[in-house]
């Protein structure tokens, strides 16, 4: 029973729980279309340079600490972590369980929280080098489903994901770059501070007006309550042994 619980816990971290239940019951899970979700992408600014000047263990240790911080923070929101690829982090709200029109505000709140968590952070093995991320957000329809049998993955497909990725790659350090569709979704709530970036050329999309998500009006979360990267154990080997 204890080993089964460990196995269930591991599987629940690889696939969403509702999808896992259907997979067990039906053996296959059909792809599902979602009318509106909000996608978040982030990556580390200057990661290639940092990696070139670090040992492989230092890079793994840095990513492990950063994403443990992210994983802990997103549990406070109605958000599902899709995956990490290298230094890229992808999350979504609005699937696999729909949440009405809350998906944009959930991702916005999460994005602002993550940015605050990294204020003043530095590369763990190089304290004089700041650790900064770029973030991009987009809202729209998508299709999601389990792909593969040997190592099944819950994957998202559609132009909404591509645009969110472009928002991240064309953004700036420690800023949240959002699309017009996300801006319109946040306007429905009326308590977000958003600034127009103007029209810029987005690769594969053409000329688009994009925006910066600056703040949530009336947000009273104290900055000093956000955990810093240094709060985590920097010894990766010890973490692996304990787990």
């Amino acid at each position: 029973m204890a080993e089964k619980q460990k196995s269930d816990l591991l599987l629940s971290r690889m696939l969403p729980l509702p999808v896992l239940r259907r997979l067990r019951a039906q053996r296959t899970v059909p792809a599902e279309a979602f009318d509106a979700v909000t996608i978040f992408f982030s990556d580390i600014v200057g990661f290639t340079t940092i990696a070139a000047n670090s040992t492989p263990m230092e890079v793994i240790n840095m990513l492990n600490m950063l994403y443990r911080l992210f994983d802990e923070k997103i549990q406070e929101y109605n958000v599902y972590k899709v995956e990490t690829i290298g230094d890229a982090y992808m999350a979504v709200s609005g699937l696999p369980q729909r949440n009405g029109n809350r998906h944009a505000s959930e991702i916005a709140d999460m994005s602002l929280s993550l940015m605050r968590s990294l204020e003043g952070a530095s590369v763990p093995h190089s304290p004089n080098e700041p650790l900064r991320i770029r973030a991009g957000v987009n809202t729209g329809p998508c299709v999601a489903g389990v792909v593969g049998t040997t190592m099944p993955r819950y994957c998202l497909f559609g132009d909404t994901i591509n645009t969110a990725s472009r928002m991240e790659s064309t953004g700036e350090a420690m800023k949240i770059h959002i699309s017009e569709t996300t801006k319109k979704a946040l306007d429905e709530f009326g308590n977000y501070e958003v600034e127009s970036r103007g029209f810029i050329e987005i690769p594969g999309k053409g000329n688009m007006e994009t925006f910066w998500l600056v703040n949530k009006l009336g947000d009273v979360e104290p900055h000093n309550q956000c955990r810093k990267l240094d709060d985590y154990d920097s010894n990766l080997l010890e973490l692996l042994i304990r787990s």
Side-chain angles (χ1 to χ4, degrees), residues 85-112:
I85 305 173
D87 67 315
Y89 191 97
M90 179 183 179
V92 60
S93 182
L95 65 77
Q97 293 179 309
R98 294 169 175 82
N99 57 7
N101 65 345
R102 285 174 43 211
H103 47 86
S105 65
E106 292 288 340
I107 288 289
D109 293 350
M110 179 205 75
S111 303
L112 291 167

Side-chain angles (χ1 to χ4, degrees), residues 68-81 89 92-93 99 102 105-117 216 219 221-223 225-228 232:
R68 284 188 69 209
L69 171 65
F70 279 21
D71 290 348
E72 181 176 293
K73 293 297 292 183
I74 71 169
Q75 290 179 27
E76 303 169 15
Y77 306 95
N78 187 233
V79 170
Y80 173 69
K81 174 187 174 182
Y89 191 97
V92 60
S93 182
N99 57 7
R102 285 174 43 211
S105 65
E106 292 288 340
I107 288 289
D109 293 350
M110 179 205 75
S111 303
L112 291 167
S113 178
L114 293 182
M115 285 296 180
R116 289 176 180 175
S117 297
K216 183 176 183 179
D219 187 5
E221 180 189 12
H223 288 208
Q225 284 190 4
C226 299
R227 298 186 64 180
K228 295 295 183 181
Y232 291 106

Side-chain angles (χ1 to χ4, degrees), residues 140-205:
C142 80
V143 172
V146 177
V147 175
T149 54
T150 303
M151 289 186 65
R153 291 177 56 208
Y154 188 65
C155 298
L156 277 54
F157 302 94
D159 190 57
T160 298
I161 293 87
N162 297 332
T163 303
S165 178
R166 296 292 187 271
M167 290 297 102
E168 178 273 310
S169 62
T170 57
E172 296 179 2
M174 298 304 290
K175 288 187 176 183
I176 304 165
H177 192 203
I178 68 174
S179 66
E180 186 175 10
T181 54
T182 300
K183 190 258 185 188
K184 288 179 178 178
L186 293 178
D187 283 347
E188 295 181 11
F189 294 89
N191 59 340
Y192 290 92
E193 184 181 350
V194 174
E195 293 179 357
S196 175
R197 187 185 185 183
F199 286 86
I200 63 169
E201 186 69 23
I202 303 295
K205 302 296 296 180

